[in-house]
Amino acid sequence: MSDSLNTPATPAEPAQRTRPKGEPRFPGGPTPDPAGSHHERRIRSFQPRRSRVTAGQADSLERLWPTWGLDIDGQRNLDLTDLFGNDNPVVLEIGFGMGEATAQMAADTPATNILAADVHTPGQGNLLGLADHHGLSNIRVANGDAIILLREMLAPDALDGLRVYFPDPWPKKRHHKRRLIQPEFLTLAATRLRPGAILHCATDWEPYAEQMLEVLDAHPDFENSQPDGGFAPRPDFRPLTRFEGQGLDKGHVVNDLLFRRVPHDDRRAPHDDQR
């Protein structure tokens, strides 16, 4: 394994293959809208990004998706032991960008499984390529809406941790309702987190950081891991990403929040009675 996980495993030339009309972009790979019309439409907390998929990323998607990828279709319950081939702890990461930090954390903690969810196809291919190149068998890549993954596909207490790093801040006031860290999301996430599991958020958008802190402090299912409350220092296990470094160079302030899942009560997530 090389010293750095920030270099794609394969060259980054654009893919040139011409495909007939109607042929899937990546046969056997991630589908554009895996949940389709099976679940109600809601206000999305993410904005799909359409950017170029390189030849290396396309190759990784076509070769590795059938083994290490899954579509969030909301039509099945995931058996995480079967998915990873072991019963190691599982951490869900929502939104991983190009996957460099995810790959680094997977390499640093091989006994922890990472279920990484995103909708960005180039990032999905890049993370799969990094995992393959560096022999990281503890990563699985999920394509689609993480809310559907949590609500419809994961069992109660299935997760040992949840990471939300640099989510879209939706800075305009009229878009604040699209922010992921809201009371309803926390209530759902709490049902999927085991008692003692850590919810770790990080953002370089200070108004969003303040809102996160306010919402988490007020939620009965979480308690701040910091004895004196407030934000946490960046823990050693969260790598400094290129995106974060660029923000720091511009004078941005990055805030980390680490909140612990308290012992749960009898509350259930929506649709639990329909499983």
Side-chain angles (χ1 to χ4, degrees), residues 207-275:
Y208 193 12
E210 294 290 346
Q211 180 193 332
M212 287 181 180
L213 183 60
E214 179 181 351
V215 171
L216 279 161
D217 274 337
H219 202 284
D221 291 334
F222 293 93
E223 62 182 7
N224 199 329
S225 67
Q226 301 304 295
D228 298 326
F231 300 110
R234 180 176 69 87
D236 292 339
F237 65 79
R238 183 175 73 75
L240 184 70
T241 66
R242 284 182 291 177
F243 170 82
E244 183 178 359
Q246 291 168 0
L248 292 172
D249 289 343
K250 296 176 183 177
H252 295 184
V253 175
V254 176
N255 287 296
D256 284 76
L257 302 95
L258 286 92
F259 275 71
R260 185 177 297 105
R261 174 67 168 102
V262 301
H264 44 62
D265 54 24
D266 294 330
R267 282 189 292 175
R268 298 176 299 165
H271 301 290
D272 267 2
D273 56 342
Q274 299 178 20
R275 285 185 175 274

Side-chain angles (χ1 to χ4, degrees), residues 34 38-39 65-66 69-79 82-83 141-143 148-155 275:
H38 300 300
H39 301 281
W65 188 262
L70 65 102
D71 279 325
I72 301 173
D73 57 14
Q75 297 298 294
R76 57 195 168 118
N77 293 330
L78 285 179
D79 183 328
D82 182 65
L83 180 66
V141 178
N143 168 54
I148 294 176
L149 174 64
L150 283 164
R151 191 184 64 205
E152 308 291 347
M153 300 179 70
L154 292 176
R275 285 185 175 274

Side-chain angles (χ1 to χ4, degrees), residues 1-22:
M1 184 177 294
S2 64
D3 292 335
S4 174
L5 294 178
N6 292 331
T7 302
T10 50
E13 291 82 19
Q16 300 293 332
R17 184 173 71 89
T18 301
R19 56 190 169 90
K21 184 177 180 180

Side-chain angles (χ1 to χ4, degrees), residues 32-49:
D33 186 13
S37 60
H38 300 300
H39 301 281
E40 77 279 3
R41 296 295 178 182
R42 61 176 182 81
I43 296 173
R44 293 287 179 88
S45 61
F46 57 87
Q47 180 65 49
R49 293 171 290 156

